[in-house]
Amino acid sequence: MTTHELKIKSEYFMDVVKDIKKAEIRYNDRNYKVGDILNLHEINEQGNRTGRQCSVIISHILDDGEYLRDGYVMLSIDVIY
C-alpha cells in the first residue's frame, strides 16, 4: 500500500467529503493500486492549498482505453478521513 499526496479543486473536494463523489479520474503516473491511500488536499481557484484535506482508499481501478484517454484511469474511492 502506498500513500499519495494529491491536490483537488474545492468544487470537487466537498463532494468527496460528503461521500457523493465516488471516483477520481487521474493520469496514472503514480502506478496506483487497489488499497492505496489518497490524501486529497483542497486547493482554491488560485491553486493554493486551503489547509483542508481528507483521505480516501482506492477500492477499484478502471484502466480501459475504450472509455478513457490513454494513460488515464478511473479510481473508485471510499472516504476514510
Side-chain angles (χ1 to χ4, degrees):
M1 172 177 64
T2 303
T3 299
H4 306 274
E5 304 293 331
L6 301 173
K7 296 182 279 186
I8 184 171
K9 292 180 179 179
S10 292
E11 60 190 291
Y12 306 121
F13 178 81
M14 285 310 301
D15 285 342
V16 171
V17 170
K18 292 177 183 176
D19 210 24
I20 297 168
K21 187 175 187 303
K22 301 280 195 173
E24 275 287 303
I25 296 180
R26 295 283 177 151
Y27 187 69
N28 195 13
D29 58 346
R30 297 171 180 256
N31 195 27
Y32 297 109
K33 302 282 187 209
V34 170
D36 283 0
I37 304 295
L38 308 179
N39 288 332
L40 301 174
H41 299 272
E42 181 185 34
I43 59 170
N44 59 23
E45 293 175 4
Q46 294 76 34
N48 299 317
R49 289 186 183 191
T50 65
R52 298 191 323 173
Q53 70 176 39
C54 75
S55 297
V56 298
I57 189 167
I58 298 173
S59 59
H60 179 266
I61 300 173
L62 176 66
D63 185 4
D64 189 328
E66 184 176 346
Y67 299 104
L68 299 167
R69 293 171 96 181
D70 189 38
Y72 284 80
V73 292
M74 184 182 78
L75 309 172
S76 296
I77 56 174
D78 295 310
V79 176
I80 57 174
Y81 296 92

